[in-house]
Amino acid sequence: MKRWTWPAVVAVFFLLAAVLVGCSGGANSNAQPAKKEEPKTEQAAFPVTVKDGLGEDVTIKAEPKKIVSLIPSNTEIAYALGLGDKIVGVSGFDNYPEDVKTKTKIGGMEFNVEKIISLKPDLVLAHASSAHNSRDGLKQLKDAGITVLVVNDAKSFDDVYASIELIGKATGASDKAKQVIDEMKEKLAQIQEKAKQIPADKQANVWIEVSPPPQLYTAGKGTFMDEMLQVISAKNVAGSLEGWPMVTEEKAVAYKPDVIITTYGGAKQVFARAAWKDVPAVKNKRVYDVNTDLVSRPGPRLVEGVEELAKAVYPDVFK
């Protein structure tokens, strides 16, 4: 048996050590140490350019820190996106959420340009529904160096999703906007699925009353309320009409609706009309008031409006 000398033992030791170090990527290796992966988060990239509700390109140079909203629907969307602390001014019509009461009021249909400028906002959220009438005021804001974003005039749920996405992108809140939209779609799908159990011959004929006589207005095709009735498997008796038509009392009575929904708190008025006493909804005491903001304001709470309508029209199904 061959005996190992001490020098030989030492030589073998260092040879093994060298091999081990080489395999493990030691100090003299070309291998780079593994980097700890940071959690991936989507960072808003500014400047960002978006196409507004008038089809014009608007560039937001930096993430807005101070925002003025000219219409309640924009305000509600901004709050839903977690931007409440950045809101410094709102319209006199704003009533939700409660925090809007602490914000500076900048006027109603005719906003106060000087007051808005004094708030030094980075971004003003205008709206396509009033942009034409407010053209001069919006130009003054732009001339003062304020970025103005005109949000699209939403007439359907898809349009509302587009509004939320637009405001989210313009304010660096795209991730939150997607979350809000996904939640709305999920709740809407749940309501629609529940409504499928209502057979066609049991679906209610519904009259939506937006304002009372002598100017009797209803909700026709192409409105949120018409789409909401479709979601809950109800029939809009004025569904063949477009938009927000004015209808005579004779025509409304002739529709013979099973349910009447008023959006202005007018249920008692409907019950008091002598000409309506034989309408099924009146005879069966199925006339209800709903919160107008929930069924007409194009924002995240529209799904709550659908739920309110569903409970009124089909109380047994949507308890």
Side-chain angles (χ1 to χ4, degrees):
M1 178 174 172
K2 185 177 179 181
R3 299 186 65 180
W4 290 82
T5 62
W6 177 248
V9 173
V10 173
V12 172
F13 174 81
F14 279 108
L15 179 61
L16 289 172
V19 173
L20 290 171
V21 169
C23 291
S24 62
N28 293 326
S29 171
N30 291 326
Q32 296 297 317
K35 292 183 179 179
K36 184 180 179 181
E37 283 194 19
E38 297 294 332
K40 293 181 180 179
T41 56
E42 183 179 335
Q43 297 296 327
F46 287 90
V48 63
T49 299
V50 297
K51 195 170 290 293
D52 73 0
L54 299 179
E56 299 177 2
D57 288 333
V58 176
T59 298
I60 297 91
K61 295 179 180 178
E63 184 174 339
K65 302 299 181 185
K66 298 172 72 177
I67 302 170
V68 168
S69 172
L70 303 184
I71 194 168
S73 58
N74 287 346
T75 306
E76 291 199 20
I77 292 173
Y79 269 90
L81 297 181
L83 304 171
D85 290 343
K86 295 184 177 183
I87 299 289
V88 294
V90 298
S91 80
F93 300 115
D94 277 86
N95 57 4
Y96 185 89
E98 189 72 14
D99 188 58
V100 296
K101 294 180 180 179
T102 68
K103 307 297 182 179
T104 300
K105 300 300 181 289
I106 49 79
M109 295 297 290
E110 295 183 6
F111 52 83
N112 188 320
V113 174
E114 289 75 18
K115 183 171 284 189
I116 293 174
I117 293 175
S118 73
L119 294 173
K120 299 180 180 179
D122 307 302
L123 179 66
V124 168
L125 297 175
H127 201 263
S129 63
S130 57
H132 179 73
N133 294 332
S134 307
R135 186 186 305 165
D136 292 341
L138 296 179
K139 184 178 185 302
Q140 291 180 57
L141 294 176
K142 292 176 183 178
D143 290 344
I146 299 171
T147 301
V148 175
L149 178 66
V150 179
V151 177
N152 58 301
D153 184 15
K155 299 184 183 302
S156 67
F157 277 94
D158 285 341
D159 290 344
V160 174
Y161 302 148
S163 298
I164 296 171
E165 187 176 7
L166 175 63
I167 295 176
K169 188 174 182 181
T171 58
S174 290
D175 285 350
K176 183 62 177 177
K178 183 180 184 306
Q179 180 186 333
V180 170
I181 293 169
D182 288 346
E183 289 174 355
M184 288 180 68
K185 288 181 177 180
E186 183 180 356
K187 290 178 182 176
L188 207 58
Q190 290 172 354
I191 295 171
Q192 198 163 21
E193 187 63 30
K194 204 168 189 178
K196 286 181 181 179
Q197 65 183 276
I198 302 165
D201 61 342
K202 299 293 183 181
Q203 292 180 6
N205 293 310
V206 182
W207 163 259
I208 301 284
E209 190 164 297
V210 179
S211 67
Q215 294 185 317
L216 185 62
Y217 280 88
T218 189
K221 184 165 47 179
T223 64
F224 286 119
M225 281 171 272
D226 182 66
E227 188 173 1
M228 288 174 174
L229 290 177
Q230 293 177 41
V231 168
I232 66 171
S233 296
K235 300 171 184 176
N236 182 3
V237 295
S240 62
L241 306 178
E242 292 282 348
W244 306 94
M246 186 166 73
V247 179
T248 64
E249 277 198 78
E250 290 78 13
K251 187 170 185 176
V253 168
Y255 282 134
K256 298 180 179 180
D258 303 309
V259 179
I260 294 174
I261 301 291
T262 83
T263 64
Y264 61 94
K268 289 183 179 180
Q269 294 184 39
V270 175
F271 282 121
R273 296 172 191 162
W276 294 58
K277 62 182 177 62
D278 292 325
V279 173
V282 175
K283 289 175 68 175
N284 297 320
K285 301 189 183 304
R286 301 210 61 201
V287 182
Y288 309 103
D289 296 321
V290 296
N291 184 331
T292 184
D293 293 344
L294 296 182
V295 295
S296 62
R297 187 173 289 178
R301 291 197 297 159
L302 274 177
V303 178
E304 294 179 38
V306 178
E307 291 177 320
E308 191 169 324
L309 270 178
K311 289 175 181 177
V313 178
Y314 299 117
D316 293 336
V317 177
F318 296 92
K319 294 179 181 178

